[in-house]
Amino acid sequence: MTLLALGINHRTATLEVRERVAFTPAQLEQALAELRGLPEVREAAVLSTCNRTELYCVTDETGERAIYEWLGRFHGMEVEALTHCAYHFLDGDAARHLMRVAVGLDSMVLGEPQILGQLKDAYQAARRAKGMGGELERLFQHTFAVAKQVRTETGIGRNPVSVAYAAVSLASRIFDDLAGSRALLIGAGETIELVARHLHEAGVRRLTVANRTRERADQLAAPLGGEAVTLDAIPDALIDADIVITSTASALPILGKGMVERALKKRRHRPVFMVDIAVPRDIEPEVGELSDVFLYTVDDLQEVIEENRRHRQVAADQAESLIESGVGHWQHERRLRGGGELIRDVRARGESLRDEARDQALARLAKGEDPEDVVRRLAHQLTNRLLHRPTLALREAASDDRHDLMDAAATLLLDDTSDPSR
């Protein structure tokens, strides 16, 4: 069986493609059940964020194509369209990729801390769906340990930088005085919580959080002195908002062009800065056509992100070294487990042949046969049975000129005293 990591991210696919391939929380349970149900797949986990959708599977050699076809069916896409912008990694490379993702080395914002929490959520979802077996369980646990070591021993997690931070940084460049601005945040997840915190630290005190459930919005807004409202209050909240940042799990846009246009008229066309962090998008792209709206998506944050990337590159190099060590350790443990399984199988076969020969010998003794003859026959039968398969394999290897197998057999089967140099 092979460890396979397959997916798309912000480097390989456009925002439109990422939106189509993303799994909403409501879809995830069904997706995991279907993926795990493929005949070629033994174990499976799904990571889906605004910047990436990745599948981690333990599969046979035909599994990759089957998984591509399933992913296309699930999202109503042609397989060729997926393969054009997807990447895949096998075994050690797959483990390395997962570890790089976990510590933020593969993120749009280098070293951003959110992805580790998202990965842990993906792990728990896979466990609930019974997608985790021994292979993925060990890999994810090992990955979490490596990520903790990287965060502890390098500076990659200091002064946390995320898409949320990048959005607020961009807002500070557009507004001379953020403290005088009023912000409307739509959603109440971890990303919006980070945005609210960064805005508060930047001096924004007039803050409104809109969410499907008012209770969750209030949990986020209250500690920062903000106001909580439900989604149906957004049209009124837009009238006073200078900054609008959205990040929900909605499958459809929440802000349409008409809604924003009506709010702008009541604002007397005072400009609005908007950042849509969600995938799929919360704000219709047509909103960006309005003359008094400055609309940005996650892809537009690249300039801010690149600046942050330069500051973290030294820590990233240190993290790469720790990851290589982590991959090496994981591969070593995996080889030991593989060797242990083979040893158990070999011993089980030997013990089965032994027991069979023993039982036959005891039966002959019970019939009164000569003990000396029984022992000689036991030794002869046991030797023949133990060496039958290796002998056939050695003949075939010799016929095929497989010196590697012949050398391995000599190492495994012959006593050291057979070597004249010893």
Side-chain angles (χ1 to χ4, degrees), residues 100-138:
R100 295 187 80 255
V101 168
V103 301
L105 293 182
D106 196 58
S107 296
M108 181 180 284
V109 180
L110 183 65
E112 62 96 359
Q114 277 181 280
I115 187 63
L116 182 58
Q118 292 166 331
L119 194 59
K120 289 181 177 179
D121 290 342
Y123 163 77
Q124 292 296 344
R127 292 195 72 187
R128 288 193 298 271
K130 303 190 185 309
M132 285 284 178
E135 185 79 359
L136 282 185
E137 178 72 33
R138 285 186 288 265

Side-chain angles (χ1 to χ4, degrees), residues 24-25 247-251 278-280 282:
T24 66
S247 179
T248 77
S250 175
V279 177
D282 286 331

Side-chain angles (χ1 to χ4, degrees), residues 10 15-16 18 51 108-109 163 166-167 169-171 173-174 273-277 281 285 288 294-306:
H10 57 283
L15 179 57
E16 287 77 12
R18 299 202 306 272
N51 282 327
M108 181 180 284
V109 180
V163 170
S169 295
L170 189 57
R173 296 181 184 183
I174 292 175
F273 169 74
M274 294 184 170
V275 181
D276 188 351
I277 303 175
R281 281 176 279 197
F294 300 89
L295 175 61
Y296 297 84
T297 67
V298 287
D299 289 351
D300 297 319
L301 301 178
Q302 196 62 42
E303 181 183 342
V304 177
I305 287 162
E306 284 304 317

Side-chain angles (χ1 to χ4, degrees), residues 6 20 35-36 47 62 80 92 97 126 133 231 238 257 260 288 311 314 329 345 359 378 391 395:
L6 181 155
R20 291 190 65 184
L35 182 57
R36 178 64 183 83
L47 172 65
T62 64
E80 289 70 21
H97 177 73
L231 295 182
L238 274 174
K257 185 177 180 181
V260 176
H311 291 308
V314 173
H329 180 70
D345 290 344
D359 292 344
L378 170 64
T391 300
R395 284 175 179 166

Side-chain angles (χ1 to χ4, degrees), residues 51 56 105 139 151 155 157 180 224 308 327 333 340 367 379 391 398:
N51 282 327
Y56 293 89
L105 293 182
L139 174 62
R151 293 286 170 186
L224 303 177
N308 296 331
V327 171
E333 293 294 323
K367 292 178 181 178
T391 300

Side-chain angles (χ1 to χ4, degrees), residues 188 209 211-222 228-230:
V209 179
N211 190 50
R212 183 174 56 84
T213 59
R214 183 164 184 160
E215 181 182 4
R216 172 59 186 147
D218 191 57
Q219 290 174 356
L220 195 155
V229 298
T230 55

